[in-house]
């Protein structure tokens, strides 16, 4: 009865607290900020189902309810117990959630890097009074050695055309190698730092990566061989991320396994944009690693996935 068609949604972009999902209202029209554990809810103000929450209408009347969580394991962090579905801030720099015994956190402070520049030859982070996050400040650039270091990232001979004489054209692009995938199987994250942008400023880039599916069947190696380096799945597949699936199917290469104690990891990769489609209809794109060739070696990477539960159960879902 409260729905009107065609849909009329606010023109302003949705602003939700960190870690809060954007979900459709009961009319299927507009995205709203999902209600969290213990908050009042209704058909027009749904609970965050990504976190296993539902609206219980049995205790409160007049079309309102309260967000409760389905049964699940609690979380223990530094001696304090958190309920399944509960959001909390252990520090002012982190927003965390307990999901069936697993704790996942997102940073509330920017982790950007600042590159030296002629305008700011000596940047540094400082603690600001009454603020949780540190901020960048530019110290006096009178020292010549700082200025020389800053100019090292710009071309000595700027572009001749006036319209091209800007930071991007004169920037000497510096990019690190992509880091190892954060997970040895399943969807993980790889990162690098680059200043290939309009401001010639160091920024952290991330891409999705999958060295191999966790249920990937390993074929038997040929006689005399101890490693199956770069097998392909027999059938095409769609990638899954936080309940969303890739709009098209792929036949990617994966890294196999070794029988002599060595590790098999990506050696040559490329990065492509993959479009994901969600059940609620929205689309988004993410950069993703595609393996060209793997190598076998004894320098085995350690599992650096931060989403570890107290009983070694990894958090699955909206942690990217």
């Amino acid at each position: 009865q409260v729905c009107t068609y065609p849909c009329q949604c606010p023109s302003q972009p949705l602003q939700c607290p960190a870690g809060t999902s954007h979900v459709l209202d009961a009319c299927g029209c507009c995205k709203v900020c999902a209600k969290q554990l213990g908050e009042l809810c209704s058909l027009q103000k749904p609970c965050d189902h990504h976190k296993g929450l539902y609206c219980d209408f049995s205790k409160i009347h007049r079309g309102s309810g309260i967000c409760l969580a389905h049964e699940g394991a609690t979380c223990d962090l530094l001696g304090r117990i958190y309920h399944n579905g509960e959001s909390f801030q252990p520090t002012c720099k982190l927003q965390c959630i307990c999901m069936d015994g697993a704790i996942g956190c997102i940073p509330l402070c920017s982790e950007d890097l600042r590159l030296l520049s002629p305008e700011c030859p000596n940047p540094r982070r400082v603690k600001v009074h009454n603020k949780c996050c540190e901020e960048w400040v530019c110290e006096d650039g009178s020292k010549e050695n700082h200025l020389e270091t800053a100019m090292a990232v710009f071309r000595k001979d700027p572009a001749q055309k006036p319209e091209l004489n800007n930071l991007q054209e004169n920037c000497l692009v510096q990019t690190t190698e992509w880091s190892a995938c954060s997970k040895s199987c399943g969807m993980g994250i790889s990162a690098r730092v680059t200043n290939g942008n309009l401001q010639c400023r160091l920024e952290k880039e991330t891409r999705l990566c999958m060295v191999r599916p966790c249920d990937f069947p390993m074929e038997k190696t040929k006689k005399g061989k101890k490693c199956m380096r770069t097998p392909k799945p027999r059938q095409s597949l769609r990638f899954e991320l936080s309940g969303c699936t890739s709009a098209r199917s792929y036949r990617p290469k994966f890294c196999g396994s070794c029988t002599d104690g060595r590790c098999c990891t990506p050696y040559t990769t490329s990065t492509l944009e993959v479009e994901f489609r969600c059940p609620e209809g929205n689309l988004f794109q993410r950069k993703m690693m595609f393996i060209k060739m793997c190598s076998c070696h004894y320098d085995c990477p350690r599992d650096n996935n931060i989403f570890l539960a107290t009983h070694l159960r990894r958090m699955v879902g909206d942690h990217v």
Side-chain angles (χ1 to χ4, degrees):
Q1 295 179 355
V2 297
C3 297
T4 57
Y5 298 98
C7 298
Q8 293 183 348
C9 301
S11 59
Q12 298 295 327
L14 196 59
Q15 299 290 335
C16 300
T20 300
S21 302
H22 297 183
V23 296
L24 284 172
D25 58 21
C27 300
C29 279
C30 309
K31 289 291 184 73
V32 295
C33 298
K35 295 299 179 180
Q36 304 303 303
L37 186 68
E39 293 182 346
L40 293 177
C41 54
S42 66
L43 292 176
Q44 296 302 317
K45 298 178 180 179
C47 300
D48 201 334
H49 62 271
H50 293 127
K51 300 174 182 176
L53 304 181
Y54 68 96
C55 194
D56 183 6
F57 292 98
S58 63
K59 298 180 175 62
I60 301 178
H61 302 290
R62 294 182 182 177
S64 296
I66 189 168
C67 287
L68 299 179
H70 295 287
E71 288 188 12
T74 58
C75 302
D76 183 353
L77 181 64
L78 301 177
R80 183 169 178 178
I81 303 298
Y82 297 94
H83 297 288
N84 178 39
E86 183 177 357
S87 297
F88 59 95
Q89 285 187 238
T91 72
C92 62
K93 296 183 178 181
L94 288 175
Q95 177 72 42
C96 302
I97 182 174
C98 171
M99 290 185 67
D100 196 17
I103 297 176
C105 302
I106 58 173
L108 298 178
C109 296
S110 172
E111 297 180 349
D112 63 322
L113 301 172
R114 187 72 181 266
L115 190 68
L116 304 180
S117 67
E119 294 79 17
C120 188
N122 190 27
R124 66 185 184 94
R125 284 184 182 273
V126 296
K127 177 69 177 176
V128 180
H129 183 63
N130 290 332
K131 287 189 177 181
C132 174
C133 303
E134 296 176 337
E135 296 183 359
W136 285 105
V137 296
C138 293
E139 290 187 339
D140 183 16
S142 58
K143 294 183 179 180
E144 292 184 3
N145 58 338
H146 285 314
L147 188 59
E148 289 177 3
T149 306
M151 292 304 296
V153 298
F154 294 95
R155 300 183 191 280
K156 293 182 180 180
D157 299 321
Q160 299 299 320
K161 296 181 180 180
E163 64 269 16
L164 298 179
N165 191 13
N166 53 40
L167 284 177
Q168 187 181 28
E169 283 296 319
N170 299 328
C171 180
L172 293 176
V173 177
Q174 303 174 48
T175 305
T176 65
E177 296 291 332
W178 287 104
S179 66
C181 194
S182 62
K183 298 183 73 173
S184 58
C185 74
M187 194 70 78
I189 300 175
S190 175
R192 71 177 181 181
V193 176
T194 180
N195 65 325
N197 50 64
L198 291 173
Q199 293 77 28
C200 193
R201 180 177 297 175
L202 279 178
E203 292 180 346
K204 185 178 180 181
E205 285 185 343
T206 59
R207 66 176 180 177
L208 302 175
C209 53
M210 184 183 292
V211 178
R212 61 184 68 82
C214 291
D215 56 353
F216 190 54
M218 294 299 178
E219 299 180 3
K220 291 183 179 180
T221 56
K222 295 180 180 180
K223 189 175 181 180
K225 286 194 172 184
K226 297 181 179 179
C227 288
M228 183 73 179
R229 284 197 303 178
T230 320
K232 258 190 176 184
R234 293 182 178 178
Q235 296 180 340
S236 60
L237 55 85
R238 294 181 186 268
F239 297 113
E240 294 186 4
L241 176 66
S242 300
C244 308
T245 57
S246 58
R248 53 162 290 198
S249 58
Y250 297 86
R251 276 198 69 200
K253 292 180 179 179
F254 295 120
C255 289
S257 61
C258 304
T259 59
D260 56 359
R262 287 185 291 173
C263 298
C264 193
T265 58
Y267 180 71
T268 307
T269 67
S270 61
T271 304
L272 300 176
E273 291 278 352
V274 174
E275 186 176 64
F276 288 87
R277 181 177 287 113
C278 301
E280 294 164 345
N282 51 324
L283 300 171
F284 65 91
Q285 290 185 330
R286 289 287 186 273
K287 290 181 179 178
M288 186 161 183
M289 175 191 79
F290 282 83
I291 297 172
K292 292 185 175 181
M293 186 171 64
C294 300
S295 64
C296 300
H297 52 85
Y298 289 104
D299 185 19
C300 300
R302 294 178 127 192
D303 189 359
N304 61 345
N305 183 8
I306 64 168
F307 294 94
L308 289 174
T310 53
H311 49 84
L312 301 182
R313 179 182 179 277
R314 283 160 174 73
M315 176 180 173
V316 178
D318 300 64
H319 62 269
V320 176

